[in-house]
Amino acid sequence: MSKSSWKEECGVFGIWGHPEASRMAYLGIYALQHRGQESCGITTLHRGSHFFHKGLGRVADVFTEYELDALKGTAAIGHNRYSTEGGNHLPNAQPLFAEIPSGPISMAHNGNIVNAPELRNELIQEGSIFQGTNDSECILHLLAKQRSRDIVENLKVSLKRLVGAYSLTILTDNKLVGVRDPMGFRPLALGKLDKAYVLASETCAFDLIGAKYIRDIEPGEIVWIDDSGVHSDKALGSTKTAQCIFEYVYFSRPDSYVFGKSVYGVRKRLGQTLALEHPTEADIVVPVPDSGLPAALGYSQQSQIPFEYGIIRNHYVGRTFIEPKSSIRNFGVKVKLNPQSAVLKDKRVIVIDDSLVRGTTSKKIIGLIRQAGAKEVHLRIAAPPTVGPCYYGVDTPTRSELIASSNSIAQIEKFVEADSLRYLSIEGLKKAAEDTGGYCRACFDNEYPTPLFNKQKG
Amino acid sequence: MSKSSWKEECGVFGIWGHPEASRMAYLGIYALQHRGQESCGITTLHRGSHFFHKGLGRVADVFTEYELDALKGTAAIGHNRYSTEGGNHLPNAQPLFAEIPSGPISMAHNGNIVNAPELRNELIQEGSIFQGTNDSECILHLLAKQRSRDIVENLKVSLKRLVGAYSLTILTDNKLVGVRDPMGFRPLALGKLDKAYVLASETCAFDLIGAKYIRDIEPGEIVWIDDSGVHSDKALGSTKTAQCIFEYVYFSRPDSYVFGKSVYGVRKRLGQTLALEHPTEADIVVPVPDSGLPAALGYSQQSQIPFEYGIIRNHYVGRTFIEPKSSIRNFGVKVKLNPQSAVLKDKRVIVIDDSLVRGTTSKKIIGLIRQAGAKEVHLRIAAPPTVGPCYYGVDTPTRSELIASSNSIAQIEKFVEADSLRYLSIEGLKKAAEDTGGYCRACFDNEYPTPLFNKQKG
Amino acid sequence: MSKSSWKEECGVFGIWGHPEASRMAYLGIYALQHRGQESCGITTLHRGSHFFHKGLGRVADVFTEYELDALKGTAAIGHNRYSTEGGNHLPNAQPLFAEIPSGPISMAHNGNIVNAPELRNELIQEGSIFQGTNDSECILHLLAKQRSRDIVENLKVSLKRLVGAYSLTILTDNKLVGVRDPMGFRPLALGKLDKAYVLASETCAFDLIGAKYIRDIEPGEIVWIDDSGVHSDKALGSTKTAQCIFEYVYFSRPDSYVFGKSVYGVRKRLGQTLALEHPTEADIVVPVPDSGLPAALGYSQQSQIPFEYGIIRNHYVGRTFIEPKSSIRNFGVKVKLNPQSAVLKDKRVIVIDDSLVRGTTSKKIIGLIRQAGAKEVHLRIAAPPTVGPCYYGVDTPTRSELIASSNSIAQIEKFVEADSLRYLSIEGLKKAAEDTGGYCRACFDNEYPTPLFNKQKG
Amino acid sequence: MSKSSWKEECGVFGIWGHPEASRMAYLGIYALQHRGQESCGITTLHRGSHFFHKGLGRVADVFTEYELDALKGTAAIGHNRYSTEGGNHLPNAQPLFAEIPSGPISMAHNGNIVNAPELRNELIQEGSIFQGTNDSECILHLLAKQRSRDIVENLKVSLKRLVGAYSLTILTDNKLVGVRDPMGFRPLALGKLDKAYVLASETCAFDLIGAKYIRDIEPGEIVWIDDSGVHSDKALGSTKTAQCIFEYVYFSRPDSYVFGKSVYGVRKRLGQTLALEHPTEADIVVPVPDSGLPAALGYSQQSQIPFEYGIIRNHYVGRTFIEPKSSIRNFGVKVKLNPQSAVLKDKRVIVIDDSLVRGTTSKKIIGLIRQAGAKEVHLRIAAPPTVGPCYYGVDTPTRSELIASSNSIAQIEKFVEADSLRYLSIEGLKKAAEDTGGYCRACFDNEYPTPLFNKQKG
């Protein structure tokens, strides 16, 4: 929770062959709401035409029964957006739509194209027009230049031009397509619901609609679904994968399977490993809710130090809030989190958070815990220091805003006013995530798996 | 008012060199609200970038102070849309925006491109992608294929490809452009406000902001305005003009000058001419408010039969209305119009309306007038019978829905249950509009001034 | 239109014995919307219980199908409110409801109780509690103190305590009651719709729902309607009546019958009489729309000077409007009214308005007419000078704000910058309204028909 | 969470002597939002007058900066309402306001007056009018009948007439009053914020604004605060207290102190005691989030069976939700709660919930847990069976809807399809709550501490 700016990214969904496709897509992106709250949209296919509705805000606010009923058809794709590139206005909301030589096409994209500015420039010079500012529009333009009627062939040619992260769900006039980039940065899973097939960023979307998880789309795989079933092509290739390890640390819902593993299970192991790496004498283990819960539980089970809800989260806090004019200390944090003296008073407290970005929120939380009477406050982070920004679809602060990129752990410890601060090691992270290679950990180790073009590396 | 479906079209606006450009554009499209209520938008230019806000609904509902303040810059264009081609969803709202090789471009369009489907198809085959469904997007694609940095040069080449109606206001990164198609179907006027220049579909927009009407943009003229003043190029050419005579009959606000003439003046002459053509013995002349008012006044002055407000319009009627479940006769009309027996009882009444489209509304009005006690009801239409749909930017019923396309005047007279029905003649229309050629009267005479491609003519 | 502050008051409605009572009440107060736009409400009677919905704003905004369906029952009353006494917040919206010894009661009130402050004080001392701030609450408290089960008996006792104006529609658990105070300040009419009976402030409400006007409720009459029909009691008495003549001048809709006469007819006679009293040499007669239309027509017909729509009203102007930051001269008026030079240029113009309150709006209109090129501007007011505030249910400026209370006509003429200014005489007003006594003209002659208690008279 | 109908009640707040009184009241009722989400309101005192704003919905939706700024003054009271008696419409929203002989008075009430119908009837017979339907209005009427100018004296006389539950915050023109009924059913605490004094239902409201908890208002105590400080009167008396033990079980926020004890602490002891009473062989302890969390943690710590988040709650679920048309099994529960197979598969599971009302939700949860692969499901309820409805301010199902009122534990076990079901004993409840008498446990033991008048007991 202490995240002040490592924001969610996007969620994608797709379904083929269901009589209530628009409602299933609605539920799918409802379950993926944590991946993006800025805008959302659904496109359906009905008798060869695409119908869509998009809006700024959350799924529950953007869609009414009326709109879902108007979205006719038995196939649909959906999207939740957190703006990564491009401001938050409606033209950037997805799914995107275009009429191209192969017919109508709608697309939902999770990820970020690293060479989008270069491609965009090139495409504009060739006469393509860009109506929005997001990087996903490039993909449509590349597809529009292909001459085949076969969308899969066109995708194989077009996607080779891209460097970066893309998990896509695509709707044409006769099929649903799911794609993961060759490195597989972002997740994409395949499920089945009665006779319908479903695609979703996380399996929690399957759970809500009662679909069964079949398998992940593989890095570099194009899967297409039509009335004859599921088909696959791996011609995009995949020599080296780079699955985002931060999905485990923070993004995904704990009840999802991501990259084939239970997020909750990984998160608990992060806490257990942290306890093994940094045994600490204390009276209680307290999570920063909600993101720190599983790691704190793992830490407590490993260390045998009792787990306590020392900080209570107010779940009635909405998106808007009127602040008092005079200052109340640490107000922004207090609205959501209330450290309770009944638990904390005179205790030596281990506080577990999932990550530490700028340090300002952690500093406030520690201040409130001390105000509540804690004797000692030991901050333990269930991940390594975040030292590099993400260029693969996550909205992160710039490098200079990441406190760990330019401060030692001792300096950060001093800044957040903890009695001690310890992070999980990279080795610990790999162990907990069962990462024997094939993951992107660039935000922790600055090892970017792709060229960055003119993105600043330092 | 009896129009059940000869709907408004669009309004465009532009301003260059004003410190409150977004607010002036807001006022401009506010004054042009009658030309389209489905959506509206404003784009401004600030330091080489375009800022825009668009929304479904009326100007007063779409814009707040907050949004106008965010639309920085000293130049702006604005648009009111009534959906002619393309459904009513936000991607079709204008101004359209694109990044093209010559830089950012925003465009507002009033009119309709007759050969848009053909162009669209051709452009798609060449790799252009269409994100909306309206015909205006073609123009941006044609521009995007030009290689010059000079927007005027690019326009000269691109617009030659178009057949149909287009009055455009365009904003680039260094100028405001106004264009009228070579036939000049739709109006576009140039004005001056202090040191700023202004473009608008009708002069009533100038009146509200205190601008002075200078002249009309001529058919086939491209005008561009930058910090060095107003420039003109007539290379598009114009051999035959076809200005829309229906602007006088119904569309434009009576207080506007359109095609250089006072709309109110023309409308009064329509009524006067009608009185000359069809002298009728009666006690009172009653307009159908509000559209029939000037013609009724002209009719009364010519015939010396007293003008009376026999039908009162309820101006509090909003866009939504809940009907009773059980039927009330002629309810839809009664909500807006109340024929009053205090005026009508035992009278021989001449009712003046501006046009007659399907006949159903006229039938209801005549029924209500009889219920109010009128002895005779003579319906006089201040225009000829409408026999053909419009393909130049007006949303009209199909030919088969136009009652006059397949019924004689006697048959219509019977259908609407009038004691007599008379229309203005085409000659009378030309006389009243001082039309000595150069006008499009296709909706009255089926003489379409351009090829119609695969549009049904019959 | 030039009214800057002689505001509407309230409208009341009632219906008994109709299967769609809530929808009929909705339509009734929709038709009476001009009498109050600040709040509105409907109460229905179903199986002995009252159901209500009230809200701030206009009828079309406050009610949805959902709410009308929830308002079950075959009897209903409705109310439009313009705040006369008491601020504009929801607790003051009507109908008011109370449980009193005789059962549930709901009441809608048009008018103002002059001795309300005194009554309120007395009632509070006796233990009554006031939850709102409007004067109507007094009536409920007086009724609550009566011991009879018969509401009519209780009304006869309670209403004797009141001094002032009240047209009431009341719903109990077994009847609908209509009351007019003994002086009959405000109108109230009785109508019939199939087997149902209807009460309304103006007959335009009958027209919309297809009801037939039967007669007015008489001053001092209590009418009650139950399943056995219509009953009447005149025990309140009425020695001297004081019907509000301003209903003719401005408040009522022209298509209503009020106090038994056509409002439109009276208004035209006001203009005719004005022409007789003040013959003026001029080229055209121009109304200030919409309120000056009938009088201007009367003036034109009497004087034989041509009537012209020299000022066009923009009917798309909504309730909210964003002004430019820099000043535009006479902006507030220009948004609504556009004087057109095509009509006014080089003309000697007679401008007709229904009344003149503060003079500021008239001054602006005259300025705009001159800007449009008029050679002379002669302002003619179709009523006498307004010199006194109203205490009987109309929201008027204070005496000191009424320009005519402290300025001579010559001074006002100079202030509004007219070439000449003339008012209708009080004798002319009486003649046009066929007023042979029995009307309240206090705003014109300061002859208040009741004691004013501590209201300032001067 | 499994509560399908043991709803929250109300929250009250008050502050005296703070420059931002309205904002502090806003924050106070924001923190108390869990006690009522149907409506809310704030009243302030400024120069002897009361200003208020009330609305349907949540605090964050009802109030804007604009409204808080309009609520001037340095004293305020606030209210959150969950409708106990009286439907959910605005006239029932609190604070209530009245002008009474002692001056203006506003009041916020948490609780329920058992003899309200009798009092209401009596008051109506005496001429009082009831404009809303809630029981709180009685208190204002009783006060209005008192003749003293001293509100405390008037309260002492009036409140003696009441039987039932009332924690009140009251604002007059010169003081803030806090009252708890003689049995002290509902909580009310006193705090201090700089020089201001604060009253609130729960101490979590103090935490948010940075106020310090001083003490509880005692049962039967009237406290009044004015510029000279805090004063107290205990003349209402209190021989037997009956503090609501359900505040510990479910209502209050875990981070509050209620009746002087930490709610979180009591809740953990409920779980510990449950583990001692019903030791069960199992692999994991799983809470029903969020209400079962502390008890599950207590159960796990006592039993040494590992605690696991086997059910994940979706915190993005809003108030509205569109369901699919075809049925999805257990859909209503699945939207909020997702039992995860990664944790549950092949496990013997102890599920902890805070209470069991109708049984239908528990049955669905158990079904989902089994679907997720659990081998055994043992439901443990951290409270005794709920057998009686509440008449003291809690919205409960009727007796017949309470499954435990007419079914044995064995029958309920079978209904919810648990492998076993066990409840905490009443003795266990008393022990965990440190209840040595002085608590109301009527919902568990049918021992109602007051007469119930004509309320059904059986």
Side-chain angles (χ1 to χ4, degrees), chain A residues 279-316:
Chain A
T280 306
E281 218 162 285
D283 301 310
I284 52 176
V285 171
V286 167
V288 176
D290 286 344
S291 56
L293 291 171
L297 189 59
Y299 192 104
S300 164
Q301 290 178 354
Q302 181 65 45
S303 66
Q304 294 296 316
I305 300 170
F307 177 96
E308 289 289 348
Y309 290 100
I311 306 173
I312 299 297
R313 181 168 185 177
N314 180 5
H315 283 296
Y316 283 105

Side-chain angles (χ1 to χ4, degrees), chain D residues 46-267:
Chain D
H46 181 59
R47 297 188 183 168
S49 290
H50 286 199
F51 294 78
F52 67 90
H53 181 70
K54 308 196 270 194
L56 296 179
R58 297 191 180 186
V59 177
D61 299 328
V62 166
F63 289 92
T64 63
E65 295 251 5
Y66 174 82
E67 273 126 12
L68 291 182
D69 288 344
L71 293 170
K72 293 179 190 302
T74 57
I77 61 173
H79 190 264
N80 299 102
R81 176 178 170 80
Y82 189 86
S83 51
T84 46
E85 300 279 326
N88 179 35
H89 35 250
L90 202 42
N92 283 334
Q94 298 197 11
L96 297 177
F97 167 79
E99 258 191 74
I100 59 174
S102 60
I105 183 167
S106 291
M107 186 182 82
H109 173 206
N110 172 205
N112 192 53
I113 309 302
V114 179
N115 65 333
E118 290 73 17
L119 280 173
R120 184 184 180 97
N121 209 38
E122 184 188 316
L123 286 159
I124 287 174
Q125 290 313 317
E126 291 167 20
S128 296
I129 68 173
F130 279 77
Q131 296 192 25
T133 56
N134 72 55
D135 62 313
S136 314
E137 211 173 336
C138 289
I139 306 177
L140 291 183
H141 279 294
L142 291 170
L143 285 171
K145 289 176 172 293
Q146 307 310 317
R147 290 280 72 84
S148 167
R149 269 290 301 162
D150 181 344
I151 185 71
V152 178
E153 286 314 303
N154 289 340
L155 279 167
K156 278 152 69 175
V157 177
S158 302
L159 298 177
K160 296 243 160 139
R161 299 293 315 280
L162 306 180
V163 175
Y166 49 95
S167 282
L168 308 172
T169 57
I170 293 172
L171 201 58
T172 70
D173 55 357
N174 60 13
K175 56 176 73 71
L176 169 68
V177 184
V179 184
R180 257 177 100 196
D181 66 73
M183 291 194 165
F185 282 101
R186 301 281 145 228
L188 188 62
L190 175 69
K192 198 157 195 287
L193 170 55
D194 302 328
K195 289 180 182 173
Y197 285 95
V198 194
L199 296 166
S201 293
E202 298 181 29
T203 60
C204 65
F206 297 163
D207 293 344
L208 180 55
I209 59 175
K212 239 187 95 157
Y213 170 46
I214 300 177
R215 65 171 179 92
D216 279 12
I217 306 302
E218 291 178 29
E221 184 181 9
I222 302 174
V223 157
W224 67 100
I225 300 156
D226 57 21
D227 291 342
S228 69
V230 179
H231 315 271
S232 168
D233 185 307
K234 295 179 185 169
L236 284 181
S238 179
T239 51
K240 175 180 93 166
T241 66
Q243 301 186 125
C244 170
I245 207 156
F246 219 86
E247 292 278 354
Y248 291 134
V249 171
Y250 177 70
F251 297 142
S252 295
R253 260 176 61 169
D255 48 338
S256 288
Y257 281 80
V258 164
F259 309 138
K261 277 170 258 176
S262 156
V263 174
Y264 177 78
V266 174
R267 252 170 229 178

Side-chain angles (χ1 to χ4, degrees), chain D residues 316-380:
Chain D
Y316 283 105
V317 171
R319 274 151 286 175
T320 58
F321 197 82
I322 302 167
E323 296 210 21
K325 288 175 174 175
S326 60
S327 74
I328 293 184
R329 274 197 65 197
N330 301 324
F331 185 77
V333 165
K334 275 175 83 168
V335 166
K336 286 197 189 154
L337 300 181
N338 191 17
Q340 50 171 340
S341 62
V343 171
L344 299 166
K345 197 161 167 52
D346 297 326
K347 293 282 168 38
R348 295 170 302 167
V349 180
I350 295 174
V351 180
I352 309 285
D353 208 348
D354 63 288
S355 54
L356 189 157
V357 179
R358 298 169 191 264
T360 46
T361 304
S362 297
K363 184 189 177 93
K364 287 178 189 168
I365 291 171
I366 290 171
L368 289 168
I369 290 172
R370 288 203 198 277
Q371 261 182 265
K375 211 161 57 184
E376 294 173 16
V377 185
H378 302 278
L379 182 60
R380 298 291 174 267

Side-chain angles (χ1 to χ4, degrees), chain C residues 62-87:
Chain C
V62 167
F63 290 93
T64 64
E65 294 252 5
Y66 174 83
E67 273 125 12
L68 291 181
D69 287 344
L71 292 170
K72 292 180 190 304
T74 58
I77 60 172
H79 190 263
N80 299 102
R81 174 177 172 81
Y82 189 86
S83 50
T84 45
E85 299 278 327

Side-chain angles (χ1 to χ4, degrees), chain B residues 8 18 20 23-24 26-27 30-31 33-34 37 58 60 63-65 68-69 204 207-210 253-255 257 262 264 268 290 293-294 297 301 304 306-310 312 314-318 320-326 328 331 334-335 338 340-343, chain C residues 8 18 20 23-24 26-27 30-31 33-34 37 58 60 63-65 68-69 204 207-210 253-255 257 262 264 268 290 293-294 297 301 304 306-310 312 314-318 320-326 328 331 334-335 338 340-343:
Chain B
E8 294 86 353
H18 194 284
E20 288 196 69
R23 273 176 156 75
M24 291 302 124
Y26 168 86
L27 295 176
Y30 202 105
Q33 185 74 79
H34 62 289
Q37 293 102 47
R58 298 189 179 188
F63 290 93
T64 63
E65 294 252 5
L68 291 182
D69 287 344
C204 64
D207 293 344
L208 180 56
I209 59 175
R253 262 177 59 168
D255 48 338
Y257 281 81
S262 155
Y264 177 78
K268 270 194 64 184
D290 286 344
L293 292 171
L297 189 59
Q301 289 178 355
Q304 294 295 315
F307 176 97
E308 289 290 350
Y309 290 100
I312 299 297
N314 179 5
H315 283 295
Y316 283 106
V317 171
T320 59
F321 198 82
I322 302 167
E323 297 210 21
K325 288 177 174 174
S326 59
I328 294 184
F331 185 77
K334 277 174 83 169
V335 166
N338 191 18
Q340 50 170 339
S341 63
V343 171
Chain C
E8 294 86 353
H18 195 283
E20 289 196 68
R23 273 176 156 74
M24 292 302 124
Y26 168 86
L27 296 176
Y30 203 103
Q33 185 73 79
H34 62 290
Q37 292 103 47
R58 296 190 180 188
F63 290 93
T64 64
E65 294 252 5
L68 291 181
D69 287 344
C204 64
D207 294 343
L208 180 57
I209 60 174
R253 262 176 59 168
D255 49 338
Y257 282 80
S262 155
Y264 177 78
K268 270 194 63 184
D290 286 342
L293 292 171
L297 190 59
Q301 290 178 355
Q304 294 297 315
F307 176 96
E308 289 289 349
Y309 290 100
I312 299 297
N314 179 5
H315 283 295
Y316 283 106
V317 172
T320 57
F321 199 82
I322 302 167
E323 297 210 21
K325 288 178 174 172
S326 59
I328 294 184
F331 185 78
K334 276 174 84 169
V335 166
N338 191 16
Q340 49 170 341
S341 62
V343 171

Side-chain angles (χ1 to χ4, degrees), chain C residues 8 63 78 117 174 220 281 304 358 364:
Chain C
E8 294 86 353
F63 290 93
N174 60 11
E281 217 163 284
Q304 294 297 315
R358 297 170 192 260
K364 287 177 189 169

